[in-house]
Amino acid sequence: MPAALPCVAQACLFIKPMNYTYKQIWLINLPILVSLLMEQFINLTDSVFLGHVSQIDLGASALATLYYTAIYMPGFGFSMGIQLLIARRNGERRYQDVGRVFYQGLVFLSAFAVIVFVLSRLFSPALLRVVISSDPVYRATVQYIGWRDYSYLFAFPMLAIHAFFIGTTQTKILTAHSLVMVVCNIGFNYVLVFGKAGFPPLGIGGAAMGSSLAGGIGLLFLILYMWRYADKKRYVFFPVLDGGVSVHLLRISVWTMIRSFFCIAPWFLFFVAVEHSGEYELAAANVVRSISMVFFVLVNSFATTTVSLVGHLIGAGNPREVMSTCRRVIIWNYAIGIPLILLAFVFSEPLLRLFTNDRMVVCTAFYPFCVMLSIFIISVPAYTYCNTVIGIGKTKIAFIFQAITIWIYLWYLFILSRSPHLPLAVYWTAEQLYVVVLFVLSWLYLKRGNWRDQGS
């Protein structure tokens, strides 16, 4: 029997959706929010532990994590395509096709994981040497990546399983899964970073090793849960390759893959630019980035939910309810996020000091921290509307918007990098520009209204 769901979430599975209420949106989104938040705690755990080892390790972990994430994001983008198709087929009540889409996506992401693992092992040290100027930071970054590469083998298959549960709005299991990974990561970090229980202190390498081990345990947990509780009779997981489904899935997902990579790659270039300013600036930027991930998780969870909700509405023939659903998602985002912003600002110093005892790093991080908090306000509608474009099936359009946004962002960052001795807070205004441009492009496209009468 499948795991028990909240009654409203079950209704979303089996009843033609006319619109989504605030309560339904919250019950579907909450497990996704908790899941993403717990996953980000893995990176937060690395930063917190390494901040008490050395500033070099703290700064290097930022570059290494962003480098890892940039490679991870194409797989995440492909899983967005899986999620979109599963949500659409679920809304159409074509349940057997849900299983077919899931299996093709799982095979693709598993093969992709092996390819990415091998390529990263071969070429990452040389690529990182080109962009990192500090020798200590370079050595620490390569040490981290050397162990974190193994995470790809676990993370990509997990993405396919996540896409199935989110696409069918069966999100409850994601909370338990993420808790398992976070608890494992904290335990492994404590033992391996500082050298406990007879293990030698491994520093930044131990943090990466702990994250990879936690990923392996997380994948095993999901496989066992799906084998025991997934509704195989309804969804019929076809253990055969289907070329037609694979081509259709790749045609939709290729744009979300490229878009997802280009969403995170500028972050890596941002930190490369900051790294040239000094090791204290890099460490401070990593502290701000680590805290910003909490707010990004909030935005991203609702944006991810939006893809499934919009896919269900389109599949059930209710495109005119899309924008009102988006407005409810945005209101929920603000209702949770704005109080968190106020609390973060009031308790800024103890929050920053959680990551480091170095007073210089804390002082350097304060003003960029304030700029980061302001970014949340416009990022909520920006990401909600951009993911709505994905949810209606216009993945190529969403990629074009992302490409335009990134081109403007990189030019702005290039101009800043040509001006010496700029405060770190000025660099963070590039993120403000990024979300403003993305919001304007996505909102104008949806406002036109032509997409309501077009097929995906």
Short mmCIF file of all heavy atoms in Angstrom, two decimals, residues 9 46 130 156 233-234 240 284 300 373 408-409 426:
data_model
loop_
_atom_site.label_atom_id
_atom_site.label_comp_id
_atom_site.label_asym_id
_atom_site.label_seq_id
_atom_site.Cartn_x
_atom_site.Cartn_y
_atom_site.Cartn_z
N ALA A 9 -4.10 16.14 -0.56
CA ALA A 9 -3.10 15.75 -1.56
C ALA A 9 -3.58 14.54 -2.34
O ALA A 9 -3.34 14.42 -3.54
CB ALA A 9 -1.77 15.43 -0.86
N ASP A 46 28.78 21.41 6.32
CA ASP A 46 30.17 21.50 5.87
C ASP A 46 30.76 22.87 6.22
O ASP A 46 31.88 22.96 6.72
CB ASP A 46 30.25 21.29 4.35
CG ASP A 46 29.95 19.84 3.96
OD1 ASP A 46 29.79 19.00 4.87
OD2 ASP A 46 29.87 19.56 2.76
N VAL A 130 42.81 26.66 -13.52
CA VAL A 130 42.71 27.81 -14.41
C VAL A 130 42.06 29.00 -13.72
O VAL A 130 42.45 30.15 -13.94
CB VAL A 130 41.91 27.43 -15.68
CG1 VAL A 130 41.61 28.67 -16.53
CG2 VAL A 130 42.70 26.42 -16.52
N PHE A 156 22.05 11.65 -8.70
CA PHE A 156 21.26 11.67 -9.93
C PHE A 156 20.11 10.66 -9.92
O PHE A 156 18.98 11.01 -10.28
CB PHE A 156 22.16 11.47 -11.14
CG PHE A 156 22.98 12.70 -11.49
CD1 PHE A 156 23.92 12.65 -12.50
CD2 PHE A 156 22.82 13.88 -10.79
CE1 PHE A 156 24.68 13.77 -12.82
CE2 PHE A 156 23.57 15.01 -11.10
CZ PHE A 156 24.50 14.95 -12.12
N LYS A 233 0.74 -1.12 -8.94
CA LYS A 233 -0.43 -1.50 -9.73
C LYS A 233 -0.97 -0.31 -10.51
O LYS A 233 -1.36 -0.43 -11.67
CB LYS A 233 -1.52 -2.06 -8.82
CG LYS A 233 -2.74 -2.58 -9.56
CD LYS A 233 -3.76 -3.18 -8.61
CE LYS A 233 -3.22 -4.43 -7.94
NZ LYS A 233 -4.27 -5.11 -7.12
N ARG A 234 -0.98 0.85 -9.90
CA ARG A 234 -1.50 2.05 -10.57
C ARG A 234 -0.52 2.59 -11.61
O ARG A 234 -0.89 2.90 -12.73
CB ARG A 234 -1.82 3.14 -9.54
CG ARG A 234 -2.23 4.47 -10.18
CD ARG A 234 -2.61 5.48 -9.12
NE ARG A 234 -3.83 5.11 -8.44
CZ ARG A 234 -5.06 5.40 -8.88
NH1 ARG A 234 -5.20 6.08 -10.02
NH2 ARG A 234 -6.12 5.02 -8.22
N VAL A 240 11.55 -1.63 -19.20
CA VAL A 240 12.04 -1.75 -20.57
C VAL A 240 12.30 -0.35 -21.11
O VAL A 240 11.67 0.62 -20.70
CB VAL A 240 11.03 -2.47 -21.49
CG1 VAL A 240 10.87 -3.92 -21.07
CG2 VAL A 240 9.68 -1.76 -21.48
N ALA A 284 34.02 35.44 3.83
CA ALA A 284 32.80 36.19 4.16
C ALA A 284 31.70 35.91 3.15
O ALA A 284 30.53 35.76 3.51
CB ALA A 284 33.11 37.69 4.21
N ASN A 300 12.72 28.17 -3.79
CA ASN A 300 12.83 27.05 -4.73
C ASN A 300 11.79 25.97 -4.44
O ASN A 300 11.29 25.33 -5.37
CB ASN A 300 14.24 26.46 -4.67
CG ASN A 300 14.52 25.55 -5.85
OD1 ASN A 300 14.11 25.81 -6.97
ND2 ASN A 300 15.22 24.46 -5.59
N LEU A 373 19.56 39.79 1.93
CA LEU A 373 18.20 39.70 2.46
C LEU A 373 17.20 40.43 1.56
O LEU A 373 16.06 39.98 1.38
CB LEU A 373 18.14 40.27 3.87
CG LEU A 373 18.88 39.49 4.96
CD1 LEU A 373 18.78 40.22 6.30
CD2 LEU A 373 18.36 38.07 5.10
N ILE A 408 23.19 39.46 -19.10
CA ILE A 408 23.21 40.77 -18.45
C ILE A 408 23.96 40.70 -17.12
O ILE A 408 24.77 41.58 -16.79
CB ILE A 408 21.77 41.28 -18.24
CG1 ILE A 408 21.09 41.52 -19.60
CG2 ILE A 408 21.75 42.54 -17.41
CD1 ILE A 408 19.61 41.83 -19.51
N TYR A 409 23.72 39.64 -16.37
CA TYR A 409 24.37 39.44 -15.07
C TYR A 409 25.90 39.38 -15.22
O TYR A 409 26.64 40.03 -14.46
CB TYR A 409 23.83 38.15 -14.46
CG TYR A 409 24.52 37.67 -13.21
CD1 TYR A 409 24.07 38.06 -11.95
CD2 TYR A 409 25.58 36.77 -13.26
CE1 TYR A 409 24.68 37.59 -10.79
CE2 TYR A 409 26.19 36.30 -12.12
CZ TYR A 409 25.74 36.72 -10.89
OH TYR A 409 26.35 36.24 -9.76
N VAL A 426 28.80 45.48 -2.93
CA VAL A 426 28.52 45.93 -4.29
C VAL A 426 28.42 44.73 -5.24
O VAL A 426 27.57 44.71 -6.14
CB VAL A 426 29.59 46.93 -4.77
CG1 VAL A 426 29.35 47.32 -6.23
CG2 VAL A 426 29.59 48.17 -3.89
#
